[in-house]
Amino acid sequence: MTAEGRPPVFGLTFDPRALTDLLQAPGDIRDLSLALLQDVVTGDRHGSKLMAELAGLRKLYVDHRAAWRIVYALRPAPATSAYPMEVHVVAVRPRARHDVYDTAAQRLGIARRPVGARAHAARTSSPQIDAYRAIPKPGPPPGLPRPAQPTVLTTKAVR
């Protein structure tokens, strides 16, 4: 039974590298991750489905900024398990630069599909756009004193 009194619905397994991810995560992320996984195991929470090459996997947002993610699979448990299905955690990592998704794909041996020419072109920026940007005019180098400006006091003293 869990702390809330609900029995687990799924078993829980970790990729050994995902367990290392969890242990190396900051303390607050580790605590939030374990609480989320407890909710998943009891059936109270389900992560969003991933698409494309990671279809069949799910993701959970760990923190309120959504900077950390858990990627897991819901798969049949081994015959010796007490549960028919298990939650298999693949990665617990930051989302920055798609780190968690790239790591999950690598751990599962999923190669990225090559993109076609049109998709590649849509994801890149056009060199023509850079050509039309306004080029800033150089100013005086920093640190040099400004030229003296005549003031009211200095002009009266000269007369």
Side-chain angles (χ1 to χ4, degrees):
M1 293 258 192
T2 63
E4 289 83 26
R6 293 195 48 153
V9 179
F10 304 112
L12 178 65
T13 60
F14 281 87
D15 181 294
R17 296 164 291 187
L19 192 55
T20 302
D21 291 346
L22 186 63
L23 293 173
Q24 291 177 348
D28 58 335
I29 298 298
R30 185 175 39 246
D31 294 343
L32 290 169
S33 298
L34 291 172
L36 284 171
L37 288 171
Q38 182 176 352
D39 289 345
V40 171
V41 168
T42 58
D44 292 336
R45 182 183 304 266
H46 299 285
S48 305
K49 292 181 180 180
L50 295 173
M51 297 184 281
E53 56 264 350
L54 295 178
L57 298 176
R58 293 179 174 265
K59 66 180 175 182
L60 289 169
Y61 301 100
V62 177
D63 57 339
H64 69 281
R65 295 173 303 155
W68 282 76
R69 308 278 165 86
I70 299 173
V71 174
Y72 70 95
L74 193 58
R75 64 184 192 182
T80 57
S81 176
Y83 304 99
M85 299 289 285
E86 70 181 9
V87 173
H88 181 71
V89 180
V90 179
V92 180
R93 300 182 67 86
R95 187 212 178 272
R97 290 173 275 134
H98 296 275
D99 180 39
V100 68
Y101 305 118
D102 293 339
T103 301
Q106 178 211 3
R107 289 178 181 172
L108 295 173
I110 299 171
R112 286 194 159 232
R113 289 186 294 191
V115 296
R118 292 181 80 180
H120 178 72
R123 293 180 182 160
T124 59
S125 63
S126 172
Q128 287 84 12
I129 291 175
D130 291 335
Y132 294 113
R133 286 191 182 154
I135 299 173
K137 294 182 181 177
L144 293 179
R146 292 180 163 221
Q149 299 291 326
T151 63
V152 175
L153 296 176
T154 57
T155 56
K156 287 183 180 178
V158 173
R159 289 185 192 178

